[in-house]
Amino acid sequence: MDYLPICSSIAANLATFLDNLPYQDQSIINGKAKHEIDCQASEIVRSCLADYPINLYLEGEHPKLNPHANYSIFVDPIDGISNWLRQVGDPSLVIAITSKTLDVTLGDLEFAYVQGLRTGNCYYGTLSAAYFRSAHRQDYTQIYCHSQVSLDDAIAYLRPGYHRAKEALSGSFPLWLCCRDIRSVDNSAMEFCEIARGAADFMVECRHVSDNYNLLAYPILKAAGGYLVDFRGNSLESLSLDSEYIVDYVTCGSGYLLREILHIIQRWEQNHEKSFRSFLGEIERENQAWGSQIA
């Protein structure tokens, strides 16, 4: 099974579908619109993979299991659907593949493919290397994480969106003060890939809203020399992919930087997080009361 051409074909079909969608006024974008586009995108993926002996796992759907499967394929057809509808960022097709068909874990993934559906930029990773191709160039280039960077020089993805600023700040507040630059596009696969090619240095997800499908780009990060751990520094390679569930994590391109981040987070958790969370709760209650007075 030749992974790269299959993934590229799915991406081309999906990009054509999205390019032909009519522009939607921001005022009418809602959950129904997102659901309808997700369903159509999933059908495109199913159609492209219909003739292959696979177990197919599509985000948000029950897996389609084949008793004669030789591969398991995990797909998030549009990582960042809200961004697509708002016409911002670079929502992505994300595909991860393994030849294992039972009890698949994150560490079992042998290949991952990410394509920006707006820019056309592509990444893929194998067991031995990770590659990037800009939409403006023909050839793939091997990519690597930054191996040495300190926190005060680091570019971070810190994520306060989806009404979860309190959780994000409570879990990672010192990092917001210490790093050089903070960004967030809430598109996990593309953020993983940008860390993999050294365009950013780390990401912290502590909002308790991100599911394990947001980790499918891990083979790209891993092959480029990056790390994916929980808040105690434990690898997430044993994490099951057989069902969907919420997971918090730290992604980092440098072992030195990762140790610094974990030390700061753990010290913060022990000494200040509880009181800081209480402080944020007071602010939230005051804002609610003020809003009621205005209404």
Side-chain angles (χ1 to χ4, degrees):
M1 190 173 183
D2 200 347
Y3 297 158
L4 186 57
I6 292 170
C7 294
S8 298
S9 176
I10 295 171
N13 281 276
L14 192 55
T16 298
F17 158 67
L18 291 171
D19 286 343
N20 288 325
L21 286 176
Y23 174 77
Q24 298 196 47
D25 186 270
Q26 301 302 300
S27 63
I28 64 171
I29 291 174
N30 52 37
K32 182 180 179 182
K34 290 191 286 187
H35 177 71
E36 289 176 351
I37 293 174
D38 269 334
C39 287
Q40 293 176 73
S42 294
E43 184 55 41
I44 290 170
V45 174
R46 278 192 292 270
S47 177
C48 291
L49 294 172
D51 296 332
Y52 293 95
I54 62 169
N55 292 328
L56 179 58
Y57 296 79
L58 282 162
E59 185 179 25
E61 299 187 9
H62 293 295
K64 184 179 179 182
L65 303 180
N66 180 343
H68 307 293
N70 295 323
Y71 305 90
S72 294
I73 299 184
F74 299 82
V75 185
D76 184 350
I78 309 175
D79 179 26
I81 181 64
S82 295
N83 283 345
W84 178 268
L85 290 169
R86 296 187 184 98
Q87 300 197 15
V88 298
D90 198 14
S92 307
L93 166 68
V94 190
I95 302 175
I97 306 175
T98 177
S99 56
K100 190 175 179 181
T101 58
L102 294 173
D103 302 321
V104 178
T105 67
L106 192 65
D108 293 324
L109 297 177
E110 301 161 2
F111 179 90
Y113 178 92
V114 175
Q115 179 166 329
L117 295 168
R118 191 176 309 284
T119 64
N121 292 344
C122 295
Y123 298 82
Y124 76 90
T126 68
L127 291 174
S128 59
Y131 300 90
F132 167 65
R133 187 190 70 195
S134 166
H136 303 293
R137 303 186 63 171
Q138 293 295 318
D139 299 326
Y140 280 95
T141 301
Q142 189 170 356
I143 56 175
Y144 306 90
C145 298
H146 281 159
S147 59
Q148 293 292 332
V149 63
S150 61
L151 186 58
D152 58 357
D153 288 326
I155 298 171
Y157 283 116
L158 300 174
R159 322 174 85 199
Y162 292 98
H163 299 288
R164 295 286 179 153
K166 183 167 68 173
E167 287 77 9
L169 289 169
S170 296
S172 62
F173 181 68
L175 302 176
W176 295 71
L177 305 180
C178 298
C179 60
R180 178 165 67 92
D181 190 12
I182 298 171
R183 307 173 186 178
S184 175
V185 294
D186 263 324
N187 178 356
S188 300
M190 194 56 69
E191 291 170 338
F192 271 52
C193 291
E194 291 181 358
I195 293 170
R197 68 177 174 92
D201 298 300
F202 74 95
M203 174 171 64
V204 174
E205 173 57 84
C206 57
R207 297 173 298 175
H208 319 310
V209 295
S210 183
D211 65 37
N212 46 348
Y213 273 70
N214 286 329
L215 307 179
L216 294 182
Y218 172 61
I220 299 171
L221 177 77
K222 180 182 178 181
Y227 302 84
L228 175 63
V229 300
D230 65 18
F231 283 78
R232 294 293 175 264
N234 301 308
S235 168
L236 294 180
E237 289 215 344
S238 62
L239 194 99
S240 173
L241 294 178
D242 287 340
S243 58
E244 295 181 39
Y245 47 88
I246 301 302
V247 56
D248 288 339
Y249 56 87
V250 179
T251 302
C252 191
S254 158
Y256 173 85
L257 177 60
L258 178 62
R259 290 189 292 274
E260 187 177 4
I261 290 167
L262 291 174
H263 175 72
I264 289 172
I265 288 177
Q266 290 165 11
R267 188 176 60 188
W268 168 255
E269 181 183 21
Q270 292 169 2
N271 299 326
H272 304 292
E273 181 180 351
K274 186 176 180 180
S275 59
F276 186 75
R277 188 180 292 272
S278 176
F279 167 68
L280 293 179
E282 291 178 14
I283 294 176
E284 187 176 38
R285 288 188 292 273
E286 288 177 2
N287 286 344
Q288 289 171 349
W290 179 248
S292 299
Q293 293 175 16
I294 294 174

